[in-house]
Amino acid sequence: MSDPTHGPRRRTVLTTASGAAAALALTGSPATAAPRHSPVDAGRAAAAEQPYRWRTVTIGGTGFLTGMLFHPAVKGLAYARTDIGGAYRWDEAAQRWTPLTDHLGWDDYHLLGVEAMAVDPNQPDRLYLALGAYTQSWAGNGAVLRSTDRGATWSRTALPVKLGGNEDGRGTGERLLVDPRDGDTLYLGTRHDGLLKSTDRGATWATAAFPAAASASGQGITFLVAAGRVVYAGWGDGGSALYRTSDGVAWEAVPGQPSGASARVPIRAAFDANSRSLYVTYANAPGPNNQTDGAVHRLDTAGGVWAEVTPVRPSGGDAFGYGGVAVDARVPGTVVVSTNNRWGPVDTLYRSTDGGASWASLKDTATLDIRETPYLAWGATPKFGWWIQTVAIDPYDSKHLVYGTGATLFATRDLVRWAPWISGLEESAVRQLISPATGTAPLLSGLGDIGVMYHESLTVSPSRGMATNPVFGSATGLALATLKPSYVVRAGWGDHGNGAYSTDGGQSWRPFAGQPAIASTAPGPIAVSADGATLLWSFVHWDGTKHPGFRSTDNGATWSEVATFPKGAVPVADPVDPRRFYVYDTDGGAVYRSTDAGATFVRGAGGLPSGDVQFRIAAAPGRTGDLWLSGKWNGLFRSTDGGVSFTKVTSCWASYALGFGRAAPGAAYPAVFQTGATENFVGVYRSDDAGAGWIRINDDARQWGWTGEVITGDPRVHGRVYLGTNGRGIQYGDPV
């Protein structure tokens, strides 16, 4: 995914998802750096806690599956990794994926980017994860998690280096390996810091000798794979692309290895122990984007003889690289490879049963069954996949073949019918949430990369899939007319318009008949007046450039610039008075108010926190002029006079996202939910007394990394809350 706000999310430095529906990438935005802990009065009492039952709203997949492996010694045991949503273990008994990294909290949000994973073939309960999403200067260092119970519990070692689980090359690997000669020894290939080695099962790490020089850019070691007792390493920064060691100390460039543009970057490798053949996929770039050439080569590890076994060579308009590779542990000579970044004919898997002498394209005979996740139709017909950089064959079932894409994990049991294999696996980056007070859907969502969803059920993927007419990549705005809840508007990155409205509560959509010229390159937040008569649309380019806001009073057919609207600000409609809008100017730390349906704005309260685009205003339902301002680590503020003045709420010291739900029995004020802090950590809280006191409703096992974008309560069910995460989908909780 590409994140147009902060650098590579689960994508590259920022490609917006404005490409065609068939080319939706996946991205989540890292949280802006903030103090890990702010000072807390030593005498402040700990917040009360209430047990909650937390579940994930079902969509299905929705993110880039960067790695997949079956345990070679345990039937039914499998693991998957993602670029921003952590790692999962397949639960064969429950027939669903179990998240393994939800315990990682606010300060560790970057660790939900999984760079690599490894299992011990001889100790099935041992599992290792190398975590860290970014290598940029603003990112935190990586870490290794190690488990002796298949990820149920973890021990953690902080690394002195950064890892890039959400950068280019995140689909290569695995970069983490248990030494085939000694289960206590592990190797970790890094991007910019060479080879790390541990001799105590990942508890401590030290730099190990490696013949290629590490650099501050590039890919470094792209994979580590065992071929018998020999370890092979891919190198993605030029020169020799493949090295090996037979003793874990001395490395050499593999003799006779392929060269040239098509073999510039080794992506993945798989060893067929039956034939003693090592298969390596190559491309001219690490991917998942920007590959235009690639090849597949086979090494006879016994005789040292290389052979090119590329199924189809990229050429002309059919440009792509090769990505995933897997061998059949039961049938010698059976190997599967994937193309990658093949946007024209679309990516495929090639399968050979004769060691690569001949190949068949599995896409050509495939039937895709996406009933479990209708959004994969992208508004038309499902595609076999894109960004295919991981492939796995079940060692206990030759026809159980799995591959990951930029949005899901497909699996087959007969090599013909393919269906998503994603029950329990949710990776969406959540931007907007609305829980309507009326209607058939308890929830509407605006997501990164996959647009807007209408959730008629919380436990079944939306039957309509992504909102169409037009199809969006990432949603940038979603708003409902509170006095006319059947009227909803949305904005986002799309190829056939950047805004749309619905008159049936979000079940169907019509594109705006017109839009400002800037909308196609800088769609931003949108608001609608309480009666649905007025739209306000703000515009922010992915590089942060802010533009004037525009207003429409005819369902988006025509638009006029609002000169007094602060550029790039987020508009909020008053939930009761259609004439009132509010805008928070984060540059100047001031609130602007409109009492003429958004035609003009005047400055209200000033001296408020400034400098961060993620400071947010929320309007309390059923009230005029009752505003709450989340100022992140600057605290929480409230206005009861429509933004003329604000008072700081002293019951918490940090507030990152805030929303409202049904009032508690006997209470006059709506329940208030927030991601914030009353102590020295960030948690999820509810207040039933208008912010006078807070109850923590999540726990240490359920933190989901960064949760500072959006939160809302359910206006129909007291205590129910919907929480947006950056890579773990929509979490919803109910009091136990």
Side-chain angles (χ1 to χ4, degrees):
M1 314 171 166
S2 322
D3 174 10
T5 61
H6 206 319
R9 154 212 146 150
R10 24 169 157 209
R11 311 9 100 95
T12 56
V13 189
L14 290 164
T15 313
T16 62
S18 57
L24 300 181
L26 289 166
T27 313
S29 53
T32 303
R36 293 172 65 86
H37 299 300
S38 291
V40 179
D41 295 339
R44 178 173 290 172
E49 297 185 7
Q50 180 174 4
Y52 258 60
R53 181 190 181 194
W54 287 95
R55 290 162 287 182
T56 307
V57 174
T58 298
I59 302 174
T62 74
F64 186 17
L65 273 295
T66 51
M68 164 71 206
L69 60 82
F70 289 98
H71 197 284
V74 180
K75 185 176 182 180
L77 180 58
Y79 297 95
R81 64 177 170 95
T82 69
D83 56 0
I84 66 166
Y88 293 80
R89 180 188 67 246
W90 177 250
D91 185 331
E92 182 72 7
Q95 287 291 293
R96 62 185 293 108
W97 292 95
T98 298
L100 301 179
T101 46
D102 282 357
H103 65 283
L104 295 169
W106 185 268
D107 292 340
D108 294 323
Y109 78 89
H110 66 291
L111 297 182
L112 286 181
V114 186
E115 181 81 291
M117 55 187 177
V119 296
D120 187 330
N122 301 310
Q123 298 288 337
D125 291 340
R126 293 180 185 174
L127 172 67
Y128 304 92
L129 300 178
L131 308 178
Y134 308 99
T135 60
Q136 284 86 346
S137 59
W138 45 261
N141 286 345
V144 169
L145 296 187
R146 55 196 192 279
S147 175
T148 57
D149 53 17
R150 306 184 184 185
T153 61
W154 296 99
S155 296
R156 172 173 165 177
T157 296
L159 294 175
V161 304
K162 302 177 190 297
L163 304 180
N166 189 36
E167 296 184 346
D168 281 351
R170 57 195 180 278
T172 65
E174 297 294 323
R175 302 177 193 242
L176 184 64
L177 179 71
V178 175
D179 192 315
R181 300 169 298 270
D182 177 9
D184 289 345
T185 298
L186 283 82
Y187 301 97
L188 173 60
T190 73
R191 293 165 180 262
H192 312 312
D193 299 280
L195 179 68
L196 302 183
K197 183 177 181 179
S198 171
T199 57
D200 53 12
R201 284 186 283 168
T204 61
W205 293 83
T207 301
F210 193 77
S215 67
S217 61
Q219 289 296 308
I221 296 171
T222 57
F223 65 71
L224 295 161
V225 65
R229 297 176 64 83
V230 178
V231 173
Y232 288 80
W235 180 257
D237 290 349
S240 295
L242 197 64
Y243 294 85
R244 69 186 178 194
T245 180
S246 58
D247 61 6
V249 177
W251 293 81
E252 66 171 351
V254 178
Q257 63 182 279
S259 60
S262 66
R264 183 179 302 155
V265 181
I267 304 300
R268 286 185 175 267
F271 179 62
D272 184 345
N274 294 301
S275 63
R276 301 183 70 181
S277 297
L278 182 73
Y279 296 87
V280 185
T281 57
Y282 294 89
N284 61 345
N289 289 310
N290 304 315
Q291 294 176 335
T292 58
D293 198 3
V296 182
H297 292 262
R298 185 190 68 225
L299 171 64
D300 175 355
T301 61
V305 178
W306 283 91
E308 181 174 355
V309 292
T310 307
V312 174
R313 287 302 304 266
S315 63
D318 189 13
F320 57 91
Y322 280 91
V325 55
V327 296
D328 190 334
R330 302 169 66 86
V331 184
T334 297
V335 59
V336 176
V337 299
S338 72
T339 63
N340 185 67
N341 199 46
R342 194 182 196 189
W343 297 109
V346 185
D347 280 313
T348 186
L349 302 185
Y350 286 103
R351 181 173 182 263
S352 173
T353 57
D354 52 16
S358 62
W359 299 87
S361 171
L362 297 182
K363 180 188 70 174
D364 296 345
T365 56
T367 298
L368 297 183
D369 181 353
I370 62 164
R371 287 173 294 178
E372 185 178 355
T373 53
Y375 78 90
L376 289 172
W378 308 122
T381 56
K383 304 299 186 294
F384 193 76
W386 70 97
W387 284 15
I388 304 179
Q389 291 198 285
T390 185
V391 178
I393 301 174
D394 189 335
Y396 291 88
D397 182 350
S398 296
K399 291 187 177 181
H400 185 197
L401 177 58
V402 183
Y403 68 93
T405 77
T408 195
L409 192 66
F410 274 114
T412 183
R413 297 281 183 170
D414 59 9
L415 303 182
V416 176
R417 178 188 175 275
W418 299 81
W421 192 36
I422 41 66
S423 178
L425 197 160
E426 301 287 349
E427 202 201 347
S428 54
V430 186
R431 300 287 182 257
Q432 301 92 24
L433 293 172
I434 294 175
S435 183
T438 62
T440 58
L443 188 68
L444 306 177
S445 66
L447 309 170
D449 301 319
I450 57 172
V452 170
M453 298 272 182
Y454 179 89
H455 303 269
E456 61 267 73
S457 169
L458 301 178
T459 58
V460 178
S461 186
S463 62
R464 295 170 179 80
M466 298 163 57
T468 59
N469 196 27
V471 171
F472 285 168
S474 291
T476 60
L478 181 65
L480 175 148
T482 52
L483 300 181
K484 187 181 178 182
S486 60
Y487 188 84
V488 190
V489 293
R490 61 185 174 100
W493 293 94
D495 282 348
H496 303 289
N498 300 90
Y501 69 95
S502 172
T503 58
D504 55 13
Q507 299 181 64
S508 62
W509 298 86
R510 299 176 185 176
F512 294 150
Q515 66 179 36
I518 193 63
S520 62
T521 58
I526 195 168
V528 57
S529 60
D531 62 359
T534 304
L535 308 181
L536 280 178
W537 199 352
S538 181
F539 300 96
V540 183
H541 195 262
W542 64 263
D543 65 2
T545 303
K546 300 178 180 180
H547 302 275
F550 282 75
R551 176 177 183 263
S552 175
T553 57
D554 54 10
N555 282 339
T558 60
W559 297 85
S560 58
E561 182 179 328
V562 181
T564 51
F565 184 99
K567 290 183 178 180
V570 179
V572 175
D574 191 279
V576 175
D577 187 345
R579 301 166 298 176
R580 294 180 180 269
F581 284 90
Y582 312 99
V583 175
Y584 183 44
D585 177 14
T586 58
D587 291 334
V591 170
Y592 285 75
R593 311 164 61 245
S594 175
T595 57
D596 57 5
T600 60
F601 283 83
V602 297
R603 193 175 189 271
L608 296 167
S610 62
D612 194 310
V613 296
Q614 292 174 339
F615 296 153
R616 291 283 190 268
I617 281 184
R623 288 154 174 77
T624 294
D626 191 342
L627 309 176
W628 296 68
L629 168 62
S630 293
K632 288 192 169 183
W633 57 89
N634 296 290
L636 178 63
F637 302 81
R638 184 183 176 194
S639 172
T640 56
D641 56 12
V644 175
S645 63
F646 277 83
T647 301
K648 191 167 187 178
V649 177
T650 59
S651 57
C652 63
W653 63 261
S655 180
Y656 297 89
L658 185 140
F660 305 92
R662 185 178 181 86
Y669 199 83
V672 185
F673 295 92
Q674 71 163 333
T675 296
T678 66
E679 299 156 80
N680 66 343
F681 59 85
V682 175
V684 184
Y685 294 86
R686 187 188 82 231
S687 175
D688 291 328
D689 53 13
W694 298 92
I695 301 169
R696 188 188 183 201
I697 58 175
N698 74 319
D699 53 49
D700 290 349
R702 297 165 184 83
Q703 299 192 77
W704 313 289
W706 188 62
T707 54
E709 184 82 11
V710 62
I711 188 173
T712 189
D714 192 313
R716 301 181 236 194
V717 182
H718 172 253
R720 175 169 290 181
V721 61
Y722 304 98
L723 175 67
T725 74
N726 187 58
R728 274 291 289 122
I730 306 165
Q731 302 295 325
Y732 73 103
D734 291 291
V736 175

